[in-house]
Amino acid sequence: LPTPPQIYPSNGATDIPLIPEFVVLTVNGADTYGIQISTDPTFSSITANFYQRFASKTNANDTVYLAASIRSSDSYTGNTTYYWRTRAYLFDGTVASSWSSPYSYMTKPQGPPISAPNPLLPSYGSTLSWINVPLVWEPVRNATHYQIQYSTDATFNGFTYWWTPGNQTSLYVALKPNQTYYWRVVSYNDSSISQFSATHRFYTDNK
C-alpha cells in the first residue's frame, strides 16, 4: 500500500491546538488509517497511537480527519514540539504501508485550566439496553470539545473514544449485550485540557 499524504498539521507548523484534528488523504485499497504522536522524532516513546477504520476499502485522495486520543490531562502541553506520522493498512493485519516521514509541529502556549465534566447518564451502576446507549454529561464553560471514552476495562487499558463539539453534551452509542462498561469524559479547547471526569460503571442487558 502507498503511504498516506499528510495534510495537517503541516511540517514545521506553529501555534497548533493541543489536540489538533489531524488530516490525511486516503490511498487505494486500505480500510484503516493509523497515526502516532511523539515528542521524539525517532518515536522511541509514543504519546498517542490511534486509528480510524472504514467499513470498506478506500479510494485515493479522500480526506480523513482524526482527533488524538487523550490518556491524561498532561498528555499534551503548550509550547511543545510534537512529531506525527501516519500509515495505511488492512485491519486484518495482512498488508500495511510504511510509516510516513515524521512531521513536526509546535503547540499553542498553555491556556488557563478548564473544569472536568460531570457525567449524568447512565447513572452509576445502572443496567440498560445495549442498543443506543445514551452518554450524557454537564456542559463545561470554555470547552470547545469533549472526548468521550468507554471500555470494558476499569483501567481503560484499551478503549473506544468519540469527540463532540462544545455545544454537544450527549452521545448515543451501540455497545455489546451482557457487558460491564466504564465511561468517562474530558473537556478541552485549543490551549487547555481538563482532568477526566469521574468514571461511571454501567451494565448492558440483551434486550
Side-chain angles (χ1 to χ4, degrees):
L1 289 172
T3 302
Q6 296 160 268
I7 304 300
Y8 179 86
S10 59
N11 195 20
T14 59
D15 204 38
I16 299 299
L18 266 59
I19 305 176
E21 191 170 47
F22 294 88
V23 182
V24 302
L25 295 183
T26 56
V27 298
N28 280 320
D31 63 12
T32 307
Y33 293 82
I35 286 179
Q36 290 184 340
I37 305 171
S38 178
T39 54
D40 180 354
T42 68
F43 290 81
S44 61
S45 62
I46 303 297
T47 303
N49 184 21
F50 55 99
Y51 67 88
Q52 182 170 327
R53 182 184 182 188
F54 291 87
S56 59
K57 294 178 181 178
T58 57
N59 297 316
N61 296 323
D62 288 330
T63 305
V64 181
Y65 300 90
L66 302 97
S69 57
I70 302 171
R71 292 197 169 273
S72 71
S73 60
D74 58 0
S75 293
Y76 310 97
T77 54
N79 286 328
T80 302
T81 297
Y82 290 94
Y83 301 87
W84 73 284
R85 63 184 183 179
T86 185
R87 67 172 181 164
Y89 56 101
L90 291 179
F91 191 76
D92 64 12
T94 56
V95 63
S97 75
S98 59
W99 285 105
S100 64
S101 298
Y103 274 18
S104 70
Y105 66 92
M106 178 173 281
T107 52
K108 291 176 175 289
Q110 194 78 32
I114 57 175
S115 300
N118 180 35
L120 299 176
L121 295 173
S123 57
Y124 193 91
S126 59
T127 299
L128 61 166
S129 171
W130 61 279
I131 302 171
N132 287 331
V133 174
L135 304 177
V136 184
W137 59 96
E138 289 183 349
V140 171
R141 185 177 182 181
N142 296 325
T144 59
H145 293 85
Y146 301 98
Q147 186 168 122
I148 305 90
Q149 300 179 357
Y150 56 86
S151 178
T152 55
D153 185 298
T155 65
F156 288 83
N157 182 20
F159 59 86
T160 300
Y161 70 97
W162 300 86
W163 61 94
T164 67
N167 61 358
Q168 181 180 336
T169 56
S170 64
L171 182 72
Y172 287 81
V173 294
L175 302 177
K176 294 181 179 180
N178 300 318
Q179 297 286 325
T180 300
Y181 281 96
Y182 304 85
W183 81 283
R184 62 187 183 181
V185 58
V186 60
S187 57
Y188 62 97
N189 56 35
D190 282 357
S191 58
S192 298
I193 304 171
S194 77
Q195 299 292 322
F196 276 103
S197 70
T199 296
H200 277 199
R201 182 182 66 211
F202 64 93
Y203 310 96
T204 56
D205 58 26
N206 59 1
K207 299 177 183 178

